[in-house]
Amino acid sequence: MQAKKRYLILFSAGACLILLFCFGGIQVPLSRRGPSRRDDSSLSGYHPGVGWRRFQGYLQSFSTLEKDRSDDLNEHISPRQKRDTNSFLYTGKRCRMESCFDFALCEKNGFKVYVYPQQKGEKISESYQNILTSIEGSRFYTSDPGQGCLFVLSLDTLDRDQLSPQYVHNLKAKIQSLPLWNEGKNHIIFNLYSGTWPDYTEDLGFDIGFAMLAKASISTENIRPKFDVSIPLFSKDHPRTGGERGYLRHNTIPPYRKYMLVFKGKRYLTGIGSDTRNALYHVHNSQDVVLLTTCKHGKDWQKHKDARCDRDNAEYDKYDYREMLYNSTFCLVPRGRRLGSFRFLEALQAACVPVMLSNGWELPFSEIIDWNTAAVIGDERLLLQIPSTVRSIHQDRILSLRQQTQLLWEAYFNSVEKIVLTTLEIIQDRVLEHTSRSSLMWNSLPGGLFTLPQYSTHLGDFPFFYAKLGIKSYPRFTAIIHVVTPLVSLSQPVMKLLVAVAKSQYCAQVIVLWNCDKPAPAKHRWPTTSVPFIVMEGESKVISSRFLPYDAIPTDAVLSLDEDTVLSTTEVDFAFTVWQSFPERIVGYPARSHFWDSSKERWGYTSKWTNDYSMVLTGAAIYHKYYHYLYTTYLPASLRTMVDQMSNCEDILMNFLVSSVTKLPPIKVTQKKQYKETMMGQSSRASRWADPDHFAQRQTCMNKFANWFGTMPLVHSQMRLDPVLFKDQVSILRKKYREIERL
C-alpha cells in the first residue's frame, strides 16, 4: 500500500513538471550556443520595437516583426537562398497603402506630385529625364513641396546594374540626405533594371524604406500588392509623348497572318534566363512557327558557343525581324536575363498577340489591366505545348485579342508619358478610393486616362459606354450661346438664333454666356421662350469659359453656338438626332481641315471647300458635356491660357481633344453653304473671319497643340450625313426635314 502511494506521488509530480514545461513555466536551454535574437524576446527587459523608435506609430511593431521573421527564416536556409532573400529585403517589404502611406498629405490639396529639384553635377539619363518631364507637364504636378501628396526623386534610379554606365554611385547616402525623404514615405521610385551578372536579382542597392516601387521586371513574389506598380520595360528610344499608333488599321477576317508564332532574339548559353531560350529550337519548324535565336552577342561569345550556335546564327540571319513581327498572329515573349522583355511592347504595337513565357513576372499594370483579354499566358515548363495551344484558339478569339492589344498599346504604353500617367492614375485611385475607376473603365475604349472618375464613377455618365450598357443619352440638349458683343437691337442675329433654338422639340434649356465687357441686358429685353432661359456671366470674360463644366447644364448633350450663327429649328433638330447615334463625337455644321505643309515642315489649317474635313467648329456643333470637364481638367493650363490670350483657337483645341479621346473624326451634317459668308458679313467682334491674322493664329495653334499632344490626333473624314430623302425626287410632304432643302 505504501509503495502504491509513493508511485502515485511520483507520477503526480512528473505530470506537474510536464505541464509546467509545456505551458512555459520552466525554461530549458536547448543549445550551448548563446541565445538567438528570437530567444532574446523571452529575456527580461525586452520590449518589441525598442530598436525602431525612429519610426512613428504602427510602423514600430511592423518593422520589428519583419526583422525577427527574416532572422528566424535565415537560420534554416542555405547561404544562396539567404543572399537571394536579403537582396530584396527592404525595411518596408510588407508595406501596403494602409500601413506605409500618409493619406493626410493628400487631404488638403488633393493628389499632387512634387519632383525634387535636380542637384548640381548629377547626371540623368534621357529616359529618366523623360519621366520627370512627363510628370512636370501633367495636371498632377506641383512645384510646392508643401502641397505634395507624392514625391519623386530627381536622382536617377532607372538603372541599378552596377556594370552599367548609367549606374549612380553612393545613391543610398544621397537619398538619406534628402530633407523630405522621411524613410521613403509617400515617395515613388522608378526602376527599369536591377541586379547584375550573374543572378540579376531585384536588389536596387539601397534600402527604399517605405517608398513605392514603379518597377519593370518585378516578380509576383516580391511585388507588394496594391502598393508597388509593375511597369513595362521600355527602351531609351521610346517616345516621350505621342508615340506610334497601333499597326492594326483594319480587321481582317479571318484574322490569320503569314506566321502563326514567331520570336527572334538572343540565346543565353549559361546563367539565368537561358533555359527557355535554349529550348526554343525544339518547336521551330521554319514554316509557320519561326523561333530564332543567336548566341552572337557579347565580346567573348565564341568562347562559350555550343554545337548549335553556327546553325542557329545562319538561320537567324535569314529573317527580317520587322517583317516577322508584323506578319505573325502570335509573338513569343520569353524572359531574358530579367523577367521583362522589349518584345512585350513590340508585340502589342504590332497587333501580334503576346504569348508570355516568363513564370513569376507580374505583368505591367496588372492591377488594372485584364491581360487574359490581350495575351496568352504560357508556362515555361510547358514550352512544347505552346504551338498546339495557340493553334486551338478560335479566330473570333484571336480577333478580340488583337483588338485589345491595340486598345492597351495606345491607351497606356505607346509613350513614356502614358506609362508615367498610368502609374500616377493608379496611385491616385488608391488614395481617392471612393472615386476610383472600375475595371471596365480601364479595359474599354477610350481607356482610364480619358475616363476621369472625379467627373463621375457611374458608367452611364460617359458617352463611351452607352452601347456597352445598352442605354441612350437623355433625349434633350442644352444650348449655350456665346455672346461677346453688346446687344443694341432686337434684330441682331443672336435674337433670331435664340428663338429658333428654343423652338426645337429637343431643347431643354438655353444659356446665354455673356462674355461682353458691357453689362448684360435686362431680362425683359430678351425674347420670350417656351423653355428655361438663363444669362450667365462668363468667368473672367475669357473665351475658354464657354467650355467650363457648368452645373447649370442638366442634359448630356450641349449645343454650342456663336452669337452670329444662323440656324433654323429644323437644322437643330436634325443635328441632334444624328448626335444621338454618335454621342462620343462632335456633330455639327461648319467644317475645317488640316494638312501637312511639306515646304514649311509644319501643319496647316484650311477652310476651303474640299472633299474631306477633320474638324467641326464649335460655333454650331453638338457634343457631350463630359468634354467640358476634360477641356478644363485634362488639358494643361498653358494651352488654355494661350487660347484665352488670343481669343482664338478654342474650337480647334476642342477638336484636338475629342479626336485624341475617340481616335475618330467628327461628323458633319447637311451642308450649309452660306454659313461662312453669313458670318463674314456680320459687324460683331466675333466676325474675325475677314481678319488676315485670324488664319495665321490658327496655323500657329495647330502646331502648338500637335506639339503638346505629341502627335496629330485629328482624323480626316469624307462622310456627310443628310436626312433620308434629302433632295430625292419625291414629294416634299413626304420629307421629315423638308425645311433644310429650302435654305
Side-chain angles (χ1 to χ4, degrees), residues 566 571 609 671-679 743:
V566 179
E571 287 177 295
W609 298 97
Q671 195 79 16
K672 185 173 174 58
K673 293 185 178 180
Q674 69 267 38
Y675 185 86
K676 184 172 68 170
E677 288 77 13
T678 302
M679 294 189 71
L743 297 174

Side-chain angles (χ1 to χ4, degrees), residues 50-239:
V50 167
W52 300 87
R53 288 177 180 170
R54 62 182 182 277
F55 304 114
Q56 299 298 320
Y58 43 74
L59 296 179
Q60 295 177 352
S61 58
F62 165 79
S63 302
T64 306
L65 174 63
E66 178 63 31
K67 181 175 177 61
D68 291 343
R69 184 171 178 267
S70 65
D71 289 337
D72 183 50
L73 290 173
N74 286 345
E75 294 179 6
H76 306 289
I77 61 177
S78 68
R80 177 168 182 171
Q81 289 175 315
K82 184 183 297 185
R83 180 176 67 250
D84 291 343
T85 301
N86 289 335
S87 67
F88 199 69
L89 182 59
Y90 301 125
T91 303
K93 184 178 178 182
R94 296 178 64 193
C95 270
R96 300 294 184 269
M97 293 294 290
E98 298 79 10
S99 58
C100 298
F101 191 89
D102 187 356
F103 290 88
L105 295 180
C106 313
E107 291 177 356
K108 184 177 180 181
N109 299 294
F111 187 75
K112 292 294 182 181
V113 183
Y114 174 75
V115 178
Y116 283 85
Q118 296 186 14
Q119 301 178 11
K120 292 183 179 180
E122 289 292 342
K123 294 182 179 180
I124 296 180
S125 65
E126 182 180 356
S127 295
Y128 197 63
Q129 185 61 61
N130 286 340
I131 289 176
L132 299 184
T133 303
S134 298
I135 296 173
E136 291 169 349
S138 73
R139 69 182 187 279
F140 301 117
Y141 175 70
T142 178
S143 58
D144 181 3
Q147 295 183 359
C149 167
L150 188 68
F151 298 83
V152 179
L153 304 177
S154 62
L155 297 166
D156 192 343
T157 57
L158 281 189
D159 195 340
R160 300 305 297 156
D161 186 339
Q162 297 179 19
L163 301 179
S164 170
Q166 304 291 344
Y167 181 81
V168 178
H169 295 274
N170 303 319
L171 194 56
K172 178 180 179 180
K174 294 174 182 177
I175 291 177
Q176 294 294 338
S177 65
L178 296 174
L180 302 174
W181 176 241
N182 189 26
E183 299 295 337
K185 262 191 175 184
N186 290 53
H187 283 66
I188 184 168
I189 294 172
F190 289 89
N191 176 256
L192 294 181
Y193 307 99
S194 62
T196 189
W197 171 266
D199 296 325
Y200 293 94
T201 64
E202 297 182 36
D203 184 15
L204 300 189
F206 65 95
D207 188 351
I208 66 171
F210 304 119
M212 288 180 277
L213 268 179
K215 190 179 187 309
S217 304
I218 193 169
S219 67
T220 54
E221 180 183 358
N222 286 326
I223 193 170
R224 295 167 290 182
K226 299 294 182 72
F227 191 73
D228 295 329
V229 179
S230 176
I231 63 174
L233 181 65
F234 58 88
S235 70
K236 62 180 180 180
D237 299 321
H238 206 55

Side-chain angles (χ1 to χ4, degrees), residues 398-456:
I398 293 173
L399 180 60
S400 175
L401 289 167
R402 291 180 64 190
Q403 290 173 335
Q404 193 69 2
T405 63
Q406 302 304 274
L407 186 158
L408 298 177
W409 164 256
E410 294 186 6
Y412 308 119
F413 296 109
N414 69 348
S415 68
V416 175
E417 180 183 59
K418 286 186 179 176
I419 293 172
V420 171
L421 290 179
T422 303
T423 302
L424 297 182
E425 293 280 8
I426 289 172
I427 298 173
Q428 180 185 229
D429 275 7
R430 296 173 185 168
V431 174
L432 308 175
E433 192 173 3
H434 60 289
T435 56
S436 60
R437 298 166 180 81
S438 66
S439 177
L440 184 62
M441 291 179 176
W442 284 112
N443 292 278
S444 302
L445 286 170
L449 299 187
F450 286 122
T451 310
L452 304 185
Q454 291 75 30
Y455 172 77
S456 175

Side-chain angles (χ1 to χ4, degrees), residues 14 39 43 65 140 194 247 266 366 403 426 470 623 703 716:
D39 295 334
L43 301 178
L65 174 63
F140 301 117
S194 62
Y247 184 75
K266 298 176 181 178
S366 55
Q403 290 173 335
I426 289 172
Y623 50 82
N703 290 277
H716 281 103

